[in-house]
Amino acid sequence: MQNEIILSTEELTKKYGNQTSVNQVSLNVRKGRIYGLLGRNGAGKTTIMKMILGLTSVSEGRISVFSQPLKGNARKIYPRIGSIIETPGFYSNLTGTENLQVFARLRGTINKTAIQNALSVVGLPYKDHKTFSSYSLGMKQRLGIANAILNDPEMLILDEPTNGLDPIGIAEIRIFLKKLCHEQGKTILISSHILSEIALLADDIGIIHEGLLLEESTLDQLKKKSEQYILIQAPDTAKASYHLENELGITNYSVEDDQFIRIYDLQKEVSAIGQSFFHAGIHLTHLELCIDNLEDYFKKITGGVGIA
Ligand SMILES: Nc1ncnc2c1ncn2[C@@H]1O[C@H](COP(=O)(O)OP(=O)(O)O)[C@@H](O)[C@H]1O
Ligand SMILES: [Mg+2]
């Protein structure tokens, strides 16, 4: 798992006038993995990606890609990265294949096999007659990805590539991004404001909130942080707490309000706790093992209403 870090930013900052949109972000993307940048709209995801791709200037901080500083090496680095930032400007009166031909020519390479391959990866036909204007949103997004992978780049930077897609379209994109990464060893930096989507796709997650990187960890580590506890509801919490401590030997618990107690000590089975209360004649109105999910965790660390 200790893959080499292939892209990193150090205290990367973007200021627009006196607004700091990206605030000292230090993130680390490892080779051959999918890194999901997760944050609400306006969090700073696009701005981070634009700075990495040289589409907007860096106010402060450093970026390093493929083990070299971006500054001074951009001309060597950028041909090795494919990207989608906002909608690529495809021509509506051309077909998908023709559009890719135009973009390939702009990059100075035109290779029929590369175009065929890129289209087949995203499941679009080669040389059909449908023009871009009659494409569905899903097809447009796929063509964007085909264009990003045309030069067989080592790294992909994709800004919300599934925006506006239906669940089936999202699942399809997820499958081929995973393939690109896990079968072909590509590295992917992808952004999204949808937690459930990132949770199904990413190996590593960076949580961006109001320009700050609040947390960076593997998806597995994040999942472990989601809390487990036993929740009981008792009309008399004083009596219930006394029973917990003196009969069950449980001291790691908190009384939430005048009815609910959360038990963090999970040594005893839920059923054993229930029986013990029942035998002591202490009435419980509710008893349940609760697992806070990632969404709850996200809400907790961003201190707000959370994310879709
Ligand atoms: N060109 C710009 N000029 C001024 N403010 C901008 C510009 N681009 C983005 N911002 C601001 O920077 C913040 C982060 O935006 P953005 O990176 O687009 O967020 P996200 O991609 O996470 O939705 C927002 O408050 C946005 O209004
Ligand atoms: Mg954005």
Side-chain angles (χ1 to χ4, degrees):
M1 209 192 53
Q2 286 310 318
N3 303 23
E4 164 202 352
I5 289 168
I6 197 174
L7 162 66
S8 65
T9 68
E10 247 180 286
E11 301 186 350
L12 188 64
T13 298
K14 179 73 186 183
K15 291 180 179 159
Y16 287 111
N18 52 15
Q19 185 202 346
T20 305
S21 294
V22 174
N23 195 350
Q24 305 208 338
V25 167
S26 301
L27 57 80
N28 297 287
V29 179
R30 287 182 287 163
K31 191 173 167 46
R33 292 173 69 91
I34 302 180
Y35 187 109
L37 210 47
L38 176 69
R40 289 186 198 128
N41 288 332
K45 306 178 295 295
T46 301
T47 308
I48 290 172
M49 291 178 155
K50 280 186 168 170
M51 284 192 279
I52 296 170
L53 291 165
L55 300 171
T56 189
S57 63
V58 170
S59 303
E60 284 162 32
R62 289 154 299 282
I63 299 167
S64 128
V65 195
F66 305 128
S67 315
Q68 48 198 322
L70 179 61
K71 211 170 174 183
N73 297 302
R75 285 160 71 91
K76 277 190 289 174
I77 288 172
Y78 288 139
R80 298 167 66 186
I81 304 178
S83 63
I84 309 181
I85 300 281
E86 287 153 4
T87 357
F90 289 123
Y91 298 97
S92 53
N93 56 336
L94 301 183
T95 67
T97 304
E98 288 163 347
N99 264 298
L100 291 191
Q101 285 167 342
V102 169
F103 276 80
R105 221 173 270 138
L106 283 175
R107 291 195 194 100
T109 52
I110 173 117
N111 176 335
K112 184 180 153 198
T113 331
I115 293 177
Q116 273 172 331
N117 281 347
L119 287 169
S120 89
V121 168
V122 300
L124 285 177
Y126 178 65
K127 286 221 158 152
D128 72 333
H129 298 290
K130 213 176 173 104
T131 58
F132 185 74
S133 57
S134 56
Y135 270 22
S136 68
L137 182 60
M139 293 171 80
K140 288 178 177 170
Q141 305 274 54
R142 285 166 200 225
L143 190 64
I145 294 174
N147 185 43
I149 61 177
L150 203 52
N151 285 3
D152 196 24
E154 290 153 69
M155 188 191 294
L156 285 173
I157 297 184
L158 308 173
D159 190 19
E160 310 225 20
T162 54
N163 244 359
L165 292 189
D166 56 49
I168 295 172
I170 293 175
E172 282 169 0
I173 289 190
R174 184 163 66 229
I175 289 164
F176 73 67
L177 290 182
K178 280 192 174 182
K179 264 197 186 156
L180 278 176
C181 209
H182 302 141
E183 289 175 16
Q184 296 185 31
K186 313 276 186 209
T187 307
I188 300 179
L189 172 63
I190 185 169
S191 67
S192 176
H193 64 281
I194 300 168
L195 173 65
S196 55
E197 195 178 308
I198 286 290
L200 287 173
L201 178 68
D203 302 303
D204 301 306
I205 294 188
I207 298 175
I208 297 285
H209 184 62
E210 295 175 355
L212 293 164
L213 182 69
L214 291 186
E215 173 140 0
E216 177 176 76
S217 69
T218 65
L219 178 65
D220 292 342
Q221 280 169 341
L222 259 188
K223 280 183 176 162
K224 278 190 199 130
K225 285 191 184 166
S226 331
E227 225 170 12
Q228 284 195 33
Y229 55 92
I230 295 166
L231 183 69
I232 64 178
Q233 185 180 13
D236 187 342
T237 47
K239 207 167 167 185
S241 321
Y242 184 88
H243 184 78
L244 276 181
E245 288 193 27
N246 296 292
E247 296 301 323
L248 288 160
I250 293 172
T251 50
N252 187 7
Y253 69 88
S254 65
V255 180
E256 293 298 294
D257 54 29
D258 59 358
Q259 292 230 342
F260 289 97
I261 298 177
R262 281 185 188 208
I263 304 167
Y264 301 104
D265 178 346
L266 301 178
Q267 303 288 338
K268 294 235 166 23
E269 294 275 337
V270 177
S271 57
I273 293 175
Q275 273 172 14
S276 169
F277 275 98
F278 179 75
H279 289 308
I282 302 170
H283 182 58
L284 296 184
T285 37
H286 190 82
L287 173 71
E288 185 193 7
L289 176 65
C290 297
I291 303 171
D292 276 356
N293 57 23
L294 269 182
E295 197 173 325
D296 298 319
Y297 181 71
F298 187 87
K299 271 186 206 164
K300 196 154 77 187
I301 69 164
T302 60
V305 286
I307 201 153

